[in-house]
Amino acid sequence: MRPHQPDLRNAILAAIVDSSDDAIISKDLKGMITTWNNGAERVFGYTSEEAIGKSIMMLLPQGREHEEVEILAKIHKGIRLDHFDTLRKTKSGKIINISLTVSPIYFEDKIIGASKIARDITAQKETETLIVEHSEHLEIINNISREIVYELNVEKVVAKVTEATTKICKAACGIFLYDLEADHGKSHMLFESGGTSTKRTGIAFNEVLLKNIFHEKGTIRTKDIEKLEPAETDFILKLFEESHCDITSCMAIPIISKTGLITGGLFFGHSGIEVFKKDHEKLIESIASQTAIALENARLYEEIKSLNSRKDEFIGFASHELKTPLTTIKGFVQMGIQDPEQIVEFLPKINKQIDRLSSIIEDLLDITRIDSGKLDLTLSPISLSSLIKNCLESIIPIAKSHRIKNFTVDEEINLNIDAHKMEQVLINILTNSIKYSPPDTEISIKAKCINDNIQISITDQGRGISNDQIHKIYTLFYRIQESSTPVKGLGIGLYLSQQIILAHHGKIWVDSEIGKGSTFFIEFPIDAT
Ligand code: ADP
């Protein structure tokens, strides 16, 4: 038997309602559920048996109960609610995003209840949040790239990068550990937490440790940190401890220079579990590689600036050094003009000043030769004893104040070196020992043969050199500023010495203790060809 027309319509409507993905629910004016489709069961988890007859309030999360009152008030007035984005609670207690349309139900011109269509828009909302997050990240990356490209101040680069990366990965604290002065042994740590960045110095920058931490893999996360050696784990934990950061999750990303050196590391911490995701890693790695370039540029700029100011100081001092002998020579010559017979008496003094002038000029010419890669050696045979003897003779005029002792062994060994330049090195080191140690102290020279090399050491009992200066003294124009007893100098002697030793395929180094003295070592092949 064919159904009546209204029965057919109802059957069609019921089929549509049941096959809908959306939750379609009806309720009476007191908010009691009267119908509940399959979609409602899928979205909210309750079966129709569980839902029908219950209050619609069971779907409202805490704090949103007022919404139902407002919706019912509108329904009473015959007002429809269209695509209202809100939150609802499922049977399992999960909060979901839904888009809600509520319309009044009329029977014989009277409103008897409301129909609700609720669409689960959680996935859509998540995608929207992700898009917003991505565009925020893109903006941060764009801004930071623009800012650090033009930033020539190392500290500002570090501060900006710490702030931006901490924001991107939503870390509770971000630490940027970087080598403040690579040749200096000091390091610098900057951490950012809660929007404020603080600077700390004094943590020993340990490149080897950082290299082990990052291994060859680069970025590490919580689970990788557990696999590190105890010293490496301790180092990371100490970093977070210093910044008072309680960590359950962490992530560390290396800053790698163009030449492959690890010049720093970004460390992020959070008390939550698995906070740092692959996405964060990729974004921050891209910032880290730009940071490495920016830091290198900034460091180069600072180096040039300091070299420039040292050059200015040098020009001032060199002009003075060149002028002094000239003034003395002019004085003697004028006296000779007035009394020509006296000139003979002045000649040795004039000669000494001319020697001083030519030695300064020779040093300056050597610097130019090194700069243009033209420091050529003229090799010739010389015995070790003659080399040392020549140097000792040259320093006689200034060495009277000190006790010079020679402990050379293997004296007769024959060397094939640029004797003139090697003497220049030894005279520089001996002159420094005299200049930088008090009168009446001892200066000893030891020379010996080690395999195919000669090692010469010069020990003084002078003021010594501190650990943080020890690598800098070979830098052109570099002088340690000592206010107590200023000593004259140009800051070029050790630079030239190192260059000459390197040209002989040798090395120069120093052991020193502040207040006790220094021992300079040079070692070079017996035959420098
Ligand atoms: P200069 O002696 O003209 O300043 P150098 O290049 O020879 O230049 O030396 C660089 C710096 O190294 C010096 O300014 C001095 O501070 C330090 N130095 C060199 N030799 C010694 C030494 N024997 N004891 C202490 N300091 C030294």
Side-chain angles (χ1 to χ4, degrees), residues 317 428-437 458-466 469-470 472-482 487-497 510 512 514 517-520:
F317 193 66
N428 271 337
I429 300 176
L430 280 165
T431 311
N432 280 348
S433 302
I434 296 166
K435 280 192 326 189
Y436 300 108
S437 62
I458 296 170
T459 305
D460 64 48
Q461 299 171 328
R463 66 188 191 196
I465 304 162
S466 65
Q469 307 268 10
I470 220 151
K472 293 183 164 186
I473 53 176
Y474 308 100
T475 311
L476 184 58
F477 308 138
Y478 189 82
R479 306 202 68 226
I480 301 171
Q481 302 300 335
E482 293 283 348
V487 177
K488 279 189 177 177
L490 293 170
I492 55 181
L494 286 179
Y495 167 75
L496 284 178
S497 303
V510 58
S512 189
I514 282 288
S518 314
T519 300
F520 277 84

Side-chain angles (χ1 to χ4, degrees), residues 71-329:
I71 291 170
L72 281 177
K74 283 194 174 141
I75 293 300
H76 273 289
K77 289 185 200 155
I79 302 171
R80 176 184 151 103
L81 193 80
D82 228 349
H83 295 108
F84 170 54
D85 286 359
T86 183
L87 298 175
R88 288 296 179 258
K89 192 173 69 185
T90 68
K91 186 180 171 185
S92 66
K94 190 178 161 205
I95 304 296
I96 55 169
N97 291 83
I98 60 159
S99 168
L100 202 61
T101 298
V102 190
S103 319
I105 302 174
Y106 289 90
F107 184 71
E108 293 175 351
D109 289 343
K110 267 176 67 191
I111 297 170
I112 56 153
S115 75
K116 267 172 180 259
I117 302 177
R119 175 164 295 177
D120 184 353
I121 52 164
T122 308
Q124 184 189 327
K125 282 278 171 198
E126 276 170 8
T127 315
E128 273 171 29
T129 318
L130 230 86
I131 292 172
V132 171
E133 210 169 71
H134 268 102
S135 61
E136 272 171 17
H137 286 170
L138 275 179
E139 202 181 321
I140 297 177
I141 292 176
N142 263 343
N143 286 344
I144 190 79
S145 311
R146 225 185 3 251
E147 284 180 33
I148 62 176
V149 130
Y150 298 113
E151 187 55 74
L152 290 172
N153 180 305
V154 173
E155 285 193 11
K156 283 192 183 150
V157 171
V158 168
K160 282 177 181 168
V161 169
T162 316
E163 194 190 321
T165 50
T166 309
K167 210 184 256 170
I168 286 182
C169 67
K170 299 196 184 79
C173 83
I175 301 167
F176 195 146
L177 180 78
Y178 79 102
D179 198 357
L180 184 62
E181 287 178 73
D183 57 346
H184 202 201
K186 268 192 191 160
S187 81
H188 193 124
M189 167 177 130
L190 185 131
F191 73 86
E192 150 91 29
S193 58
T196 49
S197 53
T198 317
K199 195 176 92 180
R200 299 250 173 107
T201 43
I203 293 174
F205 187 86
N206 190 330
E207 205 206 316
V208 179
L209 199 70
L210 278 192
K211 211 170 152 188
N212 291 342
I213 288 174
F214 293 117
H215 204 47
E216 266 137 44
K217 189 173 157 291
T219 299
I220 53 169
R221 288 204 253 148
T222 322
K223 58 181 182 343
D224 306 309
I225 290 173
E226 287 155 11
K227 291 181 208 142
L228 295 173
E229 293 292 319
E232 294 148 17
T233 319
D234 284 356
F235 179 78
I236 296 177
L237 294 180
K238 200 161 165 265
L239 275 185
F240 286 110
E241 229 174 81
E242 294 261 348
S243 55
H244 308 291
C245 186
D246 191 11
I247 56 154
T248 305
S249 305
C250 61
M251 176 169 75
I253 292 170
I255 304 287
I256 305 170
S257 77
K258 211 170 52 224
T259 52
L261 281 180
I262 297 184
T263 54
L266 277 159
F267 296 80
F268 304 98
H270 201 286
S271 55
I273 302 165
E274 290 196 24
V275 173
F276 305 112
K277 304 278 185 290
K278 196 87 193 149
D279 271 7
H280 298 139
E281 193 179 309
K282 292 279 158 252
L283 288 170
I284 297 176
E285 275 172 357
S286 90
I287 298 182
S289 54
Q290 293 180 44
T291 306
I293 300 169
L295 278 176
E296 231 158 275
N297 286 347
R299 190 172 279 174
L300 274 178
Y301 175 73
E302 278 174 13
E303 250 174 57
I304 290 169
K305 242 175 43 187
S306 107
L307 205 70
N308 232 1
S309 80
R310 272 190 276 135
K311 196 178 87 189
D312 288 347
E313 263 174 50
F314 165 78
I315 290 172
F317 193 66
S319 325
H320 174 261
E321 282 286 282
L322 289 170
K323 234 175 146 188
T324 312
L326 270 180
T327 315
T328 320
I329 294 170

